[in-house]
Amino acid sequence: MYVVLEEIENNTACLIPDSEDDLIYVPVVSLPVYFEVGDILIVKEKDNSQFILEK
């Protein structure tokens, strides 16, 4: 699944998925090392509400 990094507020990133799913909120520490708002990220794994994200 692809997501767009929409915004960051209070160390929480808001991601918009490419599907009809709800918005995803993850801690900023879950993001790749270098990121900017507007980046497209790939969700590599989704397990027990934890997301592994890659650029």
Side-chain angles (χ1 to χ4, degrees), residues 9-54:
E9 189 172 314
N10 298 323
N11 291 320
T12 300
C14 175
L15 308 172
I16 300 176
D18 62 349
S19 61
E20 297 294 322
D21 294 336
D22 292 332
L23 297 175
I24 300 169
Y25 295 94
V26 297
V28 170
V29 297
S30 300
L31 297 175
V33 176
Y34 301 105
F35 62 85
E36 294 181 18
V37 171
D39 280 351
I40 297 173
L41 306 171
I42 302 168
V43 177
K44 295 299 275 185
E45 189 174 319
K46 181 179 171 183
D47 183 31
N48 296 330
S49 297
Q50 287 188 306
F51 294 87
I52 297 174
L53 301 166
E54 288 185 356

